[in-house]
Amino acid sequence: MFRFATELCAWVATPWALAGWSAWAAAGSVVVLIGLPTLFATPGDKTQVIVPVPGAVTVALVLLQLVAAVAAAWAAWPAWAAVTVTALATTCLVTERRRWGRLLGGSGG
């Protein structure tokens, strides 16, 4: 739930933050933030895998989403919204620990 909510913030805030600089960059950010995790997945983590990748790649893609959400929220939105997105991303870091541990081959405790 927290991961999806943070991803949604990234999908909205990143093109919003980039739109003033370049419409192409804004559109490209959506392709990267939605397309890469759709295309690349770790077998066993998703039911449908188009291009199988190691767990570290999946973790890196989630981290990309979290960083994009926070950075873009601070760049494009009022402080209260950026603080909310930052709190959401921080919560996501905590709730993803077990999954990331599994994806990286550890316990994830």
Side-chain angles (χ1 to χ4, degrees), residues 74 77-85:
W74 281 103
W77 292 348
W80 65 266
V83 167
T84 302
V85 172

Side-chain angles (χ1 to χ4, degrees), residues 55-87:
V57 174
T58 297
V59 171
L61 289 172
V62 174
L63 285 171
L64 172 68
Q65 299 265 357
L66 296 177
V67 169
V70 171
W74 281 103
W77 292 348
W80 65 266
V83 167
T84 302
V85 172
T86 302

Side-chain angles (χ1 to χ4, degrees), residues 3-99:
R3 180 171 30 107
F4 177 72
T6 307
E7 289 173 348
L8 189 58
C9 290
W11 301 342
V12 174
T14 305
W16 192 328
L18 293 172
W21 177 65
S22 166
W24 288 104
S29 72
V30 174
V31 171
V32 168
L33 292 172
I34 295 175
L36 290 182
T38 300
L39 185 61
F40 301 104
T42 303
D45 189 50
K46 275 189 169 180
T47 55
Q48 291 186 337
V49 175
I50 299 169
V51 178
V53 294
V57 174
T58 297
V59 171
L61 289 172
V62 174
L63 285 171
L64 172 68
Q65 299 265 357
L66 296 177
V67 169
V70 171
W74 281 103
W77 292 348
W80 65 266
V83 167
T84 302
V85 172
T86 302
L88 182 63
T90 302
T91 303
C92 183
L93 285 172
V94 173
T95 61
E96 286 287 295
R97 280 184 29 227
R98 288 182 194 251
R99 176 177 175 245

